[in-house]
Amino acid sequence: MIYSMTGFGRGEFSNDAFDVTLEIKSVNNRYCDIIIKMPKKLNIFEDRMKNKIKAKLSRGRIDVYVNLEEKAYDNYEVSANFEILDKYVKVYKEIQSRYGIKDEINLSMLSRVQEGIEVSYLERGEEDYWLAIEPAIDQAIDRIVTMRALEGDQLRGDILSKIANIRKTLSAIEVHAPRIVENYRAKTRERISDLLLEMNAEIDEMRLANEIAIYADKTNINEEIVRIYSHLEQIDTILTSTEPVGRKLDFLVQELNREINTIGSKSPDIDISNLVIELKSDIEQIREQIQNIE
């Protein structure tokens, strides 16, 4: 399983005190760069949030947006101060008895008593906020990991198809490679024969053999082909890894490109030159895809 560095995840959580919405977006980046935008009072949780994200996402430019709404008056407590109200009721009754007033004591009268109803503000604790944020960020992380995994699987399939093309092209190069020396031997013999014919001389087979041997060594691309096959096998193995593999793949692609350039510079054969162009095209497409891999 490989992972893309591009993804999106959204998490939500609600309780009696808060409504939390949290979004995570990620794009390509050489390192793990996390930027969190949230209300200032939540800044104390920045390290906790980053640690959670880093536990699941190892690379990418990761933007986190946190929106938290406190529910109105949820942290206010209203209660009756019966000690004061009892005293008011006692005084009202004394007044009724003294002056013979028949009016009843009612709620409207008592509600106007100062300090008869107390309103207190309950300070929220640090953990009250975190208990609302944590489920939202966990949900968002799970969703972005799922998206990055799905995109990573698509990248893996595309890379494997390009590798299959490279192997096919290499096989064609292997077919053409032996012809390089044979063509050179034939052309060289023909040119020398023409020259010596005019000079009425014979070919020095030993010198011709040495010349062809030197040329064969200069144009030998067998080592490059072997190394390319080895690099391709390593890529096959890496693509089955569960660890971040983007940097390893990037290094191997650089090595593949170097070997292919060497083949191109060594070979004078036009058919091989055309096949090298095809190889470079596939390698470039793989390189572009690898830039998206974690």
Side-chain angles (χ1 to χ4, degrees):
M1 175 67 71
I2 65 173
Y3 293 87
S4 167
M5 282 190 282
T6 303
F8 173 80
R10 179 184 176 92
E12 297 176 329
F13 181 79
S14 294
N15 59 17
D16 293 338
F18 306 106
D19 286 326
V20 180
T21 302
L22 190 147
E23 294 181 350
I24 302 177
K25 299 178 181 178
S26 67
V27 294
N28 303 351
N29 194 281
R30 187 175 179 182
Y31 305 103
C32 184
D33 184 18
I34 303 174
I35 308 297
I36 302 177
K37 296 181 180 180
M38 58 185 172
K40 288 184 178 180
K41 60 186 172 185
L42 303 181
N43 286 344
I44 53 174
F45 304 118
E46 183 171 347
D47 287 341
R48 291 198 213 181
M49 295 171 71
K50 285 186 175 181
N51 289 337
K52 275 186 168 289
I53 293 169
K54 288 179 180 178
K56 295 293 183 70
L57 310 177
S58 64
R59 287 180 67 197
R61 157 70 187 234
I62 301 166
D63 291 296
V64 183
Y65 304 91
V66 183
N67 182 53
L68 179 142
E69 295 183 4
E70 296 192 48
K71 295 183 178 178
Y73 306 114
D74 173 76
N75 56 335
Y76 285 89
E77 186 175 273
V78 181
S79 59
N81 188 333
F82 289 109
E83 291 185 4
I84 290 180
L85 291 174
D86 286 346
K87 291 179 180 179
Y88 271 90
V89 170
K90 179 181 178 182
V91 171
Y92 288 153
K93 288 182 177 180
E94 289 176 352
I95 293 173
Q96 283 179 326
S97 174
R98 182 179 182 87
Y99 296 105
I101 298 173
K102 297 181 179 181
D103 289 349
E104 295 294 330
I105 301 172
N106 56 43
L107 179 61
S108 177
M109 181 185 298
L110 293 176
S111 65
R112 291 195 293 269
V113 174
Q114 282 190 338
E115 299 179 355
I117 296 177
E118 294 182 339
V119 179
S120 57
Y121 176 78
L122 303 177
E123 288 286 347
R124 299 196 194 280
E126 179 178 309
E127 291 306 309
D128 292 331
Y129 289 97
W130 180 245
L131 290 174
I133 295 170
E134 187 174 31
I137 193 171
D138 286 343
Q139 187 181 69
I141 290 172
D142 288 342
R143 288 176 175 174
I144 194 172
V145 167
T146 298
M147 179 178 284
R148 283 164 62 125
L150 289 173
E151 291 195 11
D153 193 52
Q154 293 176 350
L155 292 172
R156 177 178 177 274
D158 188 65
I159 291 171
L160 287 175
S161 70
K162 298 296 186 298
I163 289 176
N165 290 341
I166 291 172
R167 285 194 168 102
K168 183 178 178 180
T169 306
L170 275 180
S171 295
I173 289 176
E174 287 180 290
V175 171
H176 285 285
R179 301 175 187 171
I180 297 174
V181 175
E182 292 302 321
N183 291 339
Y184 180 76
R185 177 185 286 113
K187 290 179 179 179
T188 302
R189 178 179 287 275
E190 182 180 351
R191 287 197 302 268
I192 293 175
S193 295
D194 291 342
L195 290 172
L196 293 178
L197 183 61
E198 297 176 3
M199 300 169 61
N200 195 24
E202 294 182 357
I203 295 177
D204 185 337
E205 294 292 342
M206 182 64 70
R207 291 188 63 184
L208 177 61
N210 287 337
E211 177 70 21
I212 292 172
I214 293 171
Y215 181 81
D217 184 62
K218 289 181 178 179
T219 60
N220 189 321
I221 58 175
N222 183 63
E223 290 185 11
E224 287 75 18
I225 291 175
V226 169
R227 282 195 290 267
I228 290 173
Y229 277 125
S230 175
H231 294 331
L232 294 178
E233 288 175 5
Q234 290 182 67
I235 292 175
D236 286 340
T237 301
I238 288 173
L239 289 175
T240 64
S241 175
T242 57
E243 299 177 355
V245 297
R247 289 192 176 98
K248 292 180 181 178
L249 290 172
D250 189 53
F251 170 76
L252 284 172
V253 166
Q254 290 180 45
E255 291 299 298
L256 282 172
N257 204 45
R258 187 170 65 84
E259 301 296 347
I260 290 168
N261 284 334
T262 302
I263 290 175
S265 63
K266 278 187 173 184
S267 174
D269 185 86
I270 186 62
D271 292 325
I272 291 180
S273 296
N274 290 334
L275 291 171
V276 165
I277 291 173
E278 291 183 23
L279 287 177
K280 295 184 74 170
S281 175
D282 284 328
I283 289 295
E284 178 60 23
Q285 290 179 58
I286 291 175
R287 190 194 67 78
E288 290 177 357
Q289 295 291 44
I290 286 174
Q291 304 311 307
N292 297 318
I293 292 177
E294 184 177 34

